[in-house]
Amino acid sequence: MVLVHGLGATMRLNWDYHSPGLRAAGYCVFALTYGIDPRTRSWPYSPGGVIAMERSAPQLAAFVDRVLEATGASEVDLVGHSEGTVMPRYYLERLGGAGEVRR
């Protein structure tokens, strides 16, 4: 399962509460922070999901590939919040991600 955060968030801000419960329920859980504007990388808190989907979706694609390689799975399930439901659609529909995603 790959958790995809919302606009202005990070994997930690969006998923710290839910990921332990998902793991306890038997899911293999992964999360990423995508879409950080390079101009904010030095900030104490760099919000994610703030660059265009066209630049964020390849980050998700690369992350999914790493998860598949690490786990040996053939597909992942994506769980998104807010923009984390919109940007993955770009990955699924325009970058060929549909073949790597079950749900």
Side-chain angles (χ1 to χ4, degrees):
M1 174 180 295
V2 174
L3 306 177
V4 188
H5 65 76
L7 177 68
T10 64
M11 64 179 167
R12 186 165 208 173
L13 285 172
N14 242 161
W15 301 113
D16 263 8
Y17 178 78
H18 293 290
S19 57
L22 292 167
R23 187 172 176 194
Y27 293 98
C28 185
V29 181
F30 296 85
L32 78 156
T33 296
Y34 68 90
I36 294 176
D37 187 324
R39 297 171 293 184
T40 65
R41 283 201 188 274
S42 63
W43 295 7
Y45 162 73
S46 295
V50 297
I51 63 172
M53 284 190 291
E54 295 84 358
R55 292 177 49 207
S56 295
Q59 295 173 10
L60 175 60
F63 187 78
V64 168
D65 288 344
R66 288 194 306 274
V67 169
L68 293 174
E69 184 178 331
T71 62
S74 60
E75 295 176 308
V76 298
D77 290 333
L78 296 179
V79 176
H81 169 254
S82 187
E83 184 191 351
T85 65
V86 178
M87 181 276 289
R89 286 191 58 103
Y90 188 92
Y91 157 64
L92 294 170
E93 296 170 0
R94 300 193 181 182
L95 300 181
E100 297 180 327
V101 176
R102 185 175 64 153
R103 291 185 221 158

